[in-house]
Amino acid sequence: MRYLRSGPRRYQPEETDVTRGKTLGLRSGEIADRNIRVILEAIRRHGPLTRMELGKHSGLTGPGITNILRRLGDEGLVTSHRRKGAGGGATSTEFALRPEGAFSIGIRARQNRGEAVLVDLSGQVHDRIYFPLTRTTRAASILSAIEDMIGRHADLPIIGLGIGSNDWSAEEREQLDVASKLPRSYVESECTASLLAERTIGTPALKGGLAMIIIDEDVRAGFLVRGIPYSGVHGRAGNIGDMRTGPDNVPLDMVVGFGALRKFLNEDEFSRLIDGQEPPSPLLAEWIREAASHLLDPIIAIAGFIAPSVIMIGGDLPRGVIDALIHQLSVERRDTSKRPFLTPWISPMKPASFSGGGVALGAALLPFLNTLLPPVSG
């Protein structure tokens, strides 16, 4: 996973919009890899940009920028045109992302439901489908969804497949890779995929990192530190659902996960909620209070030990429900009757930028991040 590469780093004073010291300790191939990513992300976020503007955003030298732009142009990923100067002054060449240069499919695979998206190089969604899943036939159902999507867009250059799942098995991956018409799949956890979507096309890079909490059948957290997802030993970082939380010391999954939410709502209300509606049920407000009371403990831990610039909350819940949950968390943090201390240092909280936490969208970015960058040399 080249996009997760890093090397020893030291703090350096900022010389431009990008810290030059981030290349310390990296091999030449890794530096070239990083520099291409920096240029692509600068154009994606701020383009069209001239070479001078790219220098400001990237901290790279003119010749280096020219070489990277030539390569990106040859690969059909970047296009250029002349920008007229102000007041009829001298023109200059500006460079923009060519979204139609590459497409990718991203899958979010839960145990009982799936989502597939088709995105272009800019991250724009061109197609999206939802479909039911069963645990024993997930790979076959996902393969059917992929083939259906490819069939509807046979004229597009679809370069790969990414999967966001917390329990995708090696057998399922092999089954999909053998049967799919696309190159090998890339798999990441849901939180990592969500963080990649935020990092690449969502929230601008923040000093201090980013934390993401995904609420679903279980509750998981992910962490982005210096632009790099942190997975921990054996990928176990962020398994906060097992934490015993709240005044009653109950595992977080049991009071915040969808299993707990189903106890407050009937099946029709729960289905409408997952479909994006907000049924007018007073029991939903009761779940929000109960969930916030228990979710505050891991948020305090995350803020205390990692201190990210922002903690985002995402998943399939409607935006209004997540907003209400964040508001209740703010109420809980000031209630000293349950916890005899105030926590003014907690990181700001906000909803994830994309529906579903952006898991399928982030998964769709995996082939771009793994195949559009040059291989590392020796």
Side-chain angles (χ1 to χ4, degrees):
M1 295 181 292
R2 293 199 303 279
Y3 63 90
L4 299 181
R5 276 200 309 272
S6 64
R9 298 177 179 183
R10 304 169 186 162
Y11 177 79
Q12 295 289 325
E14 289 191 1
E15 300 178 21
T16 65
D17 289 352
V18 177
T19 304
R20 294 181 188 274
K22 287 186 178 180
T23 60
L24 291 176
L26 299 182
R27 298 191 297 270
S28 59
E30 292 175 311
I31 293 174
D33 188 336
R34 171 193 173 274
N35 289 347
I36 290 178
R37 184 190 311 283
V38 167
I39 293 296
L40 273 174
E41 290 190 353
I43 294 174
R44 179 186 288 114
R45 287 191 180 277
H46 310 288
L49 298 174
T50 65
R51 287 184 177 84
M52 182 176 298
E53 290 166 341
L54 279 168
K56 177 183 177 183
H57 285 288
S58 68
L60 302 179
T61 63
I65 292 172
T66 297
N67 291 334
I68 291 172
L69 290 172
R70 183 182 299 115
R71 172 166 186 160
L72 293 176
D74 291 342
E75 294 179 356
L77 305 179
V78 167
T79 185
S80 63
H81 60 273
R82 302 295 292 177
R83 178 196 294 179
K84 293 182 179 180
T91 62
S92 57
T93 302
E94 60 182 11
F95 299 86
L97 199 67
R98 186 172 175 268
E100 66 275 17
F103 290 79
S104 174
I105 294 176
I107 301 288
R108 183 187 184 193
R110 301 295 302 183
Q111 290 191 10
N112 57 5
R113 66 188 187 279
E115 176 187 359
V117 297
L118 176 71
V119 305
D120 63 25
L121 189 56
S122 71
Q124 178 69 34
V125 176
H126 289 255
D127 198 358
R128 173 183 271 117
I129 57 174
Y130 297 93
F131 50 95
L133 292 176
T134 58
R135 187 65 181 87
T136 56
T137 61
R138 282 199 308 179
S141 298
I142 288 172
L143 179 62
S144 177
I146 293 170
E147 291 176 343
D148 181 44
M149 189 166 280
I150 292 175
R152 293 203 302 271
H153 305 278
D155 57 330
L156 299 182
I158 302 176
I159 69 168
L161 169 69
I163 297 173
S165 176
N166 293 333
D167 59 355
W168 192 251
S169 67
E171 292 77 14
E172 288 175 314
R173 180 169 185 168
E174 182 179 2
Q175 182 181 350
L176 200 61
D177 286 345
V178 169
S180 175
K181 299 176 182 178
L182 297 173
R184 65 181 293 269
S185 59
Y186 300 91
V187 183
E188 281 294 355
S189 70
E190 291 190 13
C191 280
T192 297
S194 177
L195 287 166
L196 291 174
E198 291 288 349
R199 182 192 74 175
T200 308
I201 56 178
T203 302
L206 297 169
K207 296 179 181 178
L210 169 68
M212 174 69 72
I213 296 174
I214 298 290
I215 298 175
D216 206 285
E217 302 295 340
D218 49 18
V219 185
R220 300 288 184 102
F223 312 103
L224 197 66
V225 181
R226 290 188 177 181
I228 300 171
Y230 176 77
S231 57
V233 63
H234 304 307
R236 290 187 56 81
N239 285 348
I240 62 175
D242 296 331
M243 292 179 61
R244 292 187 172 273
T245 63
D248 50 2
N249 199 34
V250 176
L252 191 64
D253 281 343
M254 293 182 60
V255 287
V256 180
F258 282 179
L261 182 54
R262 286 189 179 94
K263 296 177 181 178
F264 287 85
L265 304 176
N266 61 45
E267 194 59 36
D268 177 65
E269 290 174 330
F270 179 79
S271 297
R272 287 164 56 197
L273 190 71
I274 298 305
D275 288 340
Q277 304 175 45
E278 296 181 33
S281 171
L283 295 179
L284 179 58
E286 185 177 341
W287 174 82
I288 289 173
R289 289 191 294 271
E290 184 77 6
S293 176
H294 290 79
L295 192 57
L296 184 61
D297 283 344
I299 286 178
I300 289 174
I302 290 170
F305 285 96
I306 300 178
S309 296
V310 64
I311 298 174
M312 305 187 103
I313 299 178
D316 286 333
L317 294 172
R319 177 65 176 265
V321 174
I322 294 178
D323 285 335
L325 179 60
I326 291 174
H327 172 74
Q328 186 62 33
L329 282 164
S330 299
V331 173
E332 288 285 333
R333 63 186 286 190
R334 295 190 294 269
D335 185 357
T336 56
S337 66
K338 296 180 180 178
R339 297 171 181 82
F341 55 88
L342 293 173
T343 54
W345 39 265
I346 283 184
S347 306
M349 294 173 281
K350 60 182 293 188
S353 300
F354 308 104
S355 63
V359 174
L361 181 56
L365 298 174
L366 291 172
F368 296 152
L369 297 171
N370 281 281
T371 64
L372 296 185
L373 299 178
V376 178
S377 58

